[in-house]
């Protein structure tokens, strides 16, 4: 009798969690259809647009950088400034920025070189001089790999309602050739999008700071961006500080179009591994819940659970589970893309299977790594998200 009770105590929570995952699927599909790709609303003539100071931290040059940066010079927004923050005075991106400044002399833009060390986070250190010089009431932080549409900034500002302190774009990917481009679009259009949309629906902090706009006064209340220099995942803690002060965070209707010139499977998987390391350090409960959220993992557990509870055929349940998950992801990707994707259904099947089977492996690899690599620097993560940089040993 006792072993049977233990099995019921295990099977019922698994079945409930499995049902909860399907609720998340449903919410993501409906909320994504309602929330995303809405026509940008123009402010009335008598209502002035607030000024926006855009921080652009740059490190190095890739084949798409010039076009990405140029998209910020051509935005249809009446009042903004571009603050390019470059750590190294020998960085080739300085030449690209100056070329664009000559091409668009009417756009307010400045370059800040050298950064300022205020913590372990290199991105915060790089942006600090630009932040101090910002003159507008809104601050936007935008990574170098982001490409903007003409009306994207207006869309983000429109979502900054009176009770909203921060608006961010849901990460997505531009159309790019090759398997790596397909894999990246599948990840951001399914796994990431599902969690992002459900989190925004429930008001949960799932902020990824690659393209975000916020009220500068709220940052200044806690000491500015340098107050978050002790974290590598500064984006999460910035958003959490606003939620802790009863400000809402929201996604805009336009996804962030990532358009980095570097697109290969190894670098993308290294990026996902690094993100998993950060999530586990900030939220240790993810050690249990994140693997269980994977399609193949939860499908296996759920097949056993419903087989035990209802005497259903576990193989049939597992196959139906995978097929249903697959179809939901295809529909969600089409919603995020707002039309047809740039690859065929066979490519989606291959990319989707690769992502689903590699996801648990990358998470385990993240747990096995005690250090986190960020460009040329190495860090040690502590529980709670604090980080310390590991300096290379000098041979004597």
């Amino acid at each position: 009798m006792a072993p049977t009770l233990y099995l019921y105590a295990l099977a019922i929570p698994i079945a409930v969690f499995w049902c909860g995952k399907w609720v998340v699927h449903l919410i993501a599909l409906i909320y994504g259809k309602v929330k995303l790709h809405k026509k940008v609303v123009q402010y009335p003539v008598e209502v002035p647009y607030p000024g926006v100071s855009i921080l652009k931290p740059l490190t190095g040059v890739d084949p798409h950088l010039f076009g990405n940066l140029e998209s910020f010079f051509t935005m249809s927004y009446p009042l903004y400034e571009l603050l390019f923050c470059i750590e190294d005075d020998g960085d080739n991106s300085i030449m690209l920025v100056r070329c664009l400044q000559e091409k668009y002399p009417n756009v307010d833009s400045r370059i800040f070189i050298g950064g300022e060390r205020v913590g372990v986070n290199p991105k915060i250190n790089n942006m600090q001089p630009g932040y101090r010089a910002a003159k507008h009431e809104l601050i936007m932080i935008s990574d170098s790999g982001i490409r903007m549409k003409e009306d994207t900034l207006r869309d983000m500002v429109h979502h900054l309602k009176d009770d909203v302190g921060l608006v961010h774009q849901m990460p997505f990917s531009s159309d790019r050739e090759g398997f790596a481009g397909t894999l990246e679009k599948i990840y951001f259009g399914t796994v990431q999008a599902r969690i992002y949309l459900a989190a925004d629906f429930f008001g949960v902090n799932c902020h990824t700071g690659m393209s975000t706009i916020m009220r500068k006064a709220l940052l200044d209340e806690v000491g500015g961006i340098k107050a978050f220099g002790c974290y590598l995942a500064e984006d999460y803690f910035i958003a959490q500080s606003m939620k802790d002060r009863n400000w809402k965070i929201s996604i805009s209707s336009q996804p962030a179009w990532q358009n980095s010139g570097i697109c290969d499977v190894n670098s993308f998987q290294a990026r996902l591994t690094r993100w998993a390391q950060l999530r586990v350090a900030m939220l240790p409960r993810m050690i249990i819940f994140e693997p269980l959220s994977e399609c193949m993992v939860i499908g296996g557990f759920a097949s056993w659970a419903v087989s035990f509870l209802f005497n259903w055929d576990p193989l049939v349940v597992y196959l139906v589970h995978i097929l249903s998950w697959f179809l939901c992801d295809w529909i969600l990707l089409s919603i995020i893309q707002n039309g047809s994707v740039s690859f065929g259904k066979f490519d989606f099947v291959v990319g989707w299977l690769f992502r689903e089977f590699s996801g648990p492996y990358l998470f385990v690899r993240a747990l096995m790594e005690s250090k986190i690599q960020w460009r040329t620097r190495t860090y040690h993560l502590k529980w709670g998200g604090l980080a310390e940089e590991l300096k290379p040993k000098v041979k004597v």
Side-chain angles (χ1 to χ4, degrees):
M1 180 65 72
T4 302
L5 290 177
Y6 287 136
L7 291 176
Y8 272 109
L10 181 62
I12 292 174
I14 289 174
V16 171
F17 183 79
W18 182 52
C19 292
K21 290 299 298 181
W22 289 111
V23 172
V24 170
H25 272 285
L26 186 61
I27 289 173
L29 291 170
I30 297 174
Y31 190 61
K33 190 68 176 177
V34 172
K35 178 77 174 181
L36 300 178
H37 303 293
K38 298 303 176 184
K39 184 178 179 180
V40 178
V41 178
Q42 294 275 7
Y43 279 3
V45 177
E46 62 274 12
V47 179
Y49 280 83
V52 182
S53 297
I54 303 176
L55 296 174
K56 293 289 296 184
L58 303 179
T59 302
V61 174
D62 67 50
H64 294 165
L65 182 61
F66 187 88
N68 293 340
L69 297 183
E70 187 172 25
S71 70
F72 283 81
F73 282 86
T74 58
M75 294 187 298
S76 60
Y77 192 85
L79 184 61
Y80 70 94
E81 62 174 344
L82 294 171
L83 308 174
F84 295 97
C85 304
I86 305 169
E87 184 179 13
D88 185 357
D89 59 5
D91 198 303
N92 291 331
S93 62
I94 298 174
M95 179 182 63
L96 293 186
V97 173
R98 286 178 176 160
C99 180
L100 287 166
Q101 287 177 321
E102 293 178 4
K103 186 176 181 180
Y104 300 96
N106 294 328
V107 176
D108 187 1
S109 64
R110 287 175 283 171
I111 300 176
F112 299 86
I113 300 174
E116 180 180 332
R117 187 169 180 81
V118 293
V120 298
N121 187 311
K123 183 177 178 180
I124 294 289
N125 293 340
N126 194 8
M127 293 189 299
Q128 177 60 21
Y131 180 84
R132 282 193 288 102
K135 60 188 179 184
H136 294 308
E137 61 185 283
L138 300 181
I139 284 284
M140 180 179 186
I141 297 176
S142 176
D143 289 354
S144 61
I146 298 298
R147 187 179 186 90
M148 298 285 272
K149 296 181 179 179
E150 286 189 3
D151 60 351
T152 301
L153 187 54
R154 284 194 284 121
D155 177 71
M156 296 180 75
V157 171
H158 173 73
H159 284 82
L160 201 65
K161 306 300 183 183
D162 291 341
D163 58 347
V164 175
L166 180 151
V167 172
H168 52 121
Q169 290 186 276
M170 184 180 73
F172 196 43
S173 175
S174 299
D175 293 342
R176 290 191 277 187
E177 296 180 354
F179 179 70
T182 300
L183 181 63
E184 189 174 272
K185 187 175 282 286
I186 289 172
Y187 173 80
F188 285 110
T190 59
V191 183
Q192 182 84 353
R194 183 167 60 248
I195 299 301
Y196 228 83
L197 289 167
D200 191 66
F201 178 81
F202 287 112
V204 176
N205 180 12
C206 192
H207 174 228
T208 300
M210 62 182 63
S211 180
T212 182
I213 190 168
M214 63 202 93
R215 301 181 189 275
K216 188 172 186 292
L218 297 182
L219 285 172
D220 290 338
E221 281 183 7
V222 295
I225 60 171
K226 67 180 181 181
F228 304 94
C230 57
Y231 306 106
L232 288 184
E234 81 291 335
D235 43 10
Y236 172 85
F237 290 99
I238 288 174
Q240 192 59 44
S241 76
M242 295 191 180
K243 288 185 65 65
D244 291 343
R245 288 174 283 165
N246 298 317
W247 286 88
K248 294 180 181 179
I249 63 175
S250 174
I251 61 171
S252 64
S253 69
Q254 293 188 17
W257 294 95
Q258 299 178 82
N259 191 43
S260 172
I262 301 173
C263 185
D264 63 78
V265 174
N266 288 335
S267 61
F268 178 60
Q269 290 190 323
R271 187 183 181 194
L272 297 185
T273 302
R274 184 172 68 247
W275 284 357
Q277 289 176 282
L278 291 171
R279 287 194 298 271
V280 170
M282 294 184 299
L283 304 168
R285 61 181 177 272
M286 298 303 293
I287 294 176
I288 297 175
F289 287 108
E290 184 158 334
L292 282 177
S293 297
E294 294 285 353
C295 172
M296 303 302 175
V297 178
I298 187 59
F301 280 103
S303 298
W304 167 81
V306 297
S307 170
F308 176 76
L309 294 172
F310 308 112
N311 201 29
W312 294 353
D313 188 321
L315 179 59
V316 172
V317 172
Y318 191 59
L319 293 177
V320 171
H321 161 87
I322 293 175
L323 177 61
S324 301
W325 197 292
F326 171 85
L327 293 175
C328 285
D329 277 353
W330 173 257
I331 296 170
L332 182 59
L333 177 60
S334 300
I335 292 173
I336 309 302
Q337 179 76 13
N338 196 30
S340 301
V341 293
S342 57
F343 45 84
K345 291 182 175 62
F346 178 77
D347 295 319
F348 177 76
V349 172
V350 175
W352 185 86
L353 288 172
F354 183 87
R355 208 308 304 171
E356 294 301 331
F357 281 110
S358 64
Y361 160 73
L362 293 178
F363 186 77
V364 172
R365 192 173 81 176
L367 294 180
M368 300 294 289
E369 293 284 344
S370 60
K371 302 173 184 177
I372 185 168
Q373 193 72 30
W374 197 300
R375 295 186 183 272
T376 59
R377 297 178 171 94
T378 303
Y379 299 88
H380 172 67
L381 280 174
K382 302 177 182 178
W383 294 117
L386 293 171
E388 61 178 358
E389 185 174 356
L390 300 177
K391 301 291 185 179
K393 294 182 179 180
V394 179
K395 295 182 179 181
V396 294

